[in-house]
Amino acid sequence: MNYWLIKSEPSTFGIEDLYHSPGQTEPWDGVRNYQARNMMRDDMKLGDQVFFYHSNCEEPGIVGIVEVSREAYPDLTAFDPSDLHHDPKSDPNNPRWVMVDIKLVRLLKRTITLQELKAKPELAELALVRRGNRLSVMPVAPEQWAFILGLENANTTDY
DNA sequence: GCCAACGTTGGC
DNA sequence: GCCAACGTTGGC
């Protein structure tokens, strides 16, 4: 079992949108970064647990947990000229980009904010809080996963 | 293969 | 809206 964190801008697609999706499941399409793609293609397995992070918004932070409900398959939006993430260089016979399906596990009881994550020495190695990080899909170590989950019930004035 | 220019991300 | 950090592009 692997752990991950995926970012999304709530103005584009937030945890509320996933909550209201049919089957609370959506394809995680539009990833156009090779590092992120490689992780999805090679390492994201059925049942892997994933933090859902809201970026570029009023209160950036982790807002929910999802799981991988289908492993990597070709991202067909790359072939659609009308799609925002259209990539004319992706060959339909050898698709360049992949996506996985994610299914909502649950919403967190509160947003675990970026500010809070940054303040924890235990999470110094978390890719999310490292300087200049821009990956939309990143691994989370099992200890980091457990630690972050523990924060959900912690007193928010502790930090 | 170098690297400057450019576009994007995302916190603030 | 600003801007730092980073990835990608393309001329050479």
Side-chain angles (χ1 to χ4, degrees), chain A residues 74-110:
Chain A
D75 182 348
L76 301 178
T77 67
F79 309 125
D80 178 0
S82 70
D83 193 275
L84 187 63
H85 302 289
H86 176 233
D87 181 0
K89 284 180 280 190
S90 184
D91 175 2
N93 295 313
N94 184 20
R96 176 177 300 197
W97 304 111
V98 300
M99 56 191 179
V100 299
D101 283 357
I102 56 163
K103 178 179 174 35
L104 184 66
V105 174
R106 67 180 180 89
L107 306 177
L108 292 191
K109 284 180 272 183
R110 66 180 184 88

Side-chain angles (χ1 to χ4, degrees), chain A residues 31-46:
Chain A
V31 174
R32 298 290 180 268
N33 171 283
Y34 287 104
Q35 229 182 315
R37 178 206 64 181
N38 293 347
M39 287 189 283
M40 288 199 297
R41 186 189 59 193
D42 303 333
D43 301 321
M44 271 196 160
K45 299 302 175 192
L46 201 63

Side-chain angles (χ1 to χ4, degrees), chain A residues 106-157:
Chain A
R106 67 180 180 89
L107 306 177
L108 292 191
K109 284 180 272 183
R110 66 180 184 88
T111 299
I112 302 174
T113 64
L114 177 62
Q115 179 192 16
E116 185 176 356
L117 297 170
K118 277 181 165 174
K120 302 294 183 188
E122 292 88 343
L123 300 176
E125 301 304 315
L126 184 67
L128 182 75
V129 304
R130 308 219 48 137
R131 201 176 70 142
N133 168 72
R134 288 169 49 183
L135 272 180
S136 58
V137 176
M138 67 186 74
V140 175
E143 318 81 70
Q144 293 169 335
W145 178 274
F147 181 82
I148 294 169
L149 264 190
L151 295 176
E152 185 183 14
N153 294 313
N155 184 344
T156 58
T157 60

Side-chain angles (χ1 to χ4, degrees), chain A residues 43-82:
Chain A
D43 301 321
M44 271 196 160
K45 299 302 175 192
L46 201 63
D48 279 3
Q49 301 290 294
V50 185
F51 283 133
F52 194 104
Y53 176 89
H54 278 173
S55 67
N56 208 7
C57 58
E58 193 140 335
E59 192 178 47
I62 297 170
V63 294
I65 297 172
V66 304
E67 67 180 18
V68 177
S69 60
R70 181 177 173 186
E71 294 180 9
Y73 60 107
D75 182 348
L76 301 178
T77 67
F79 309 125
D80 178 0
S82 70

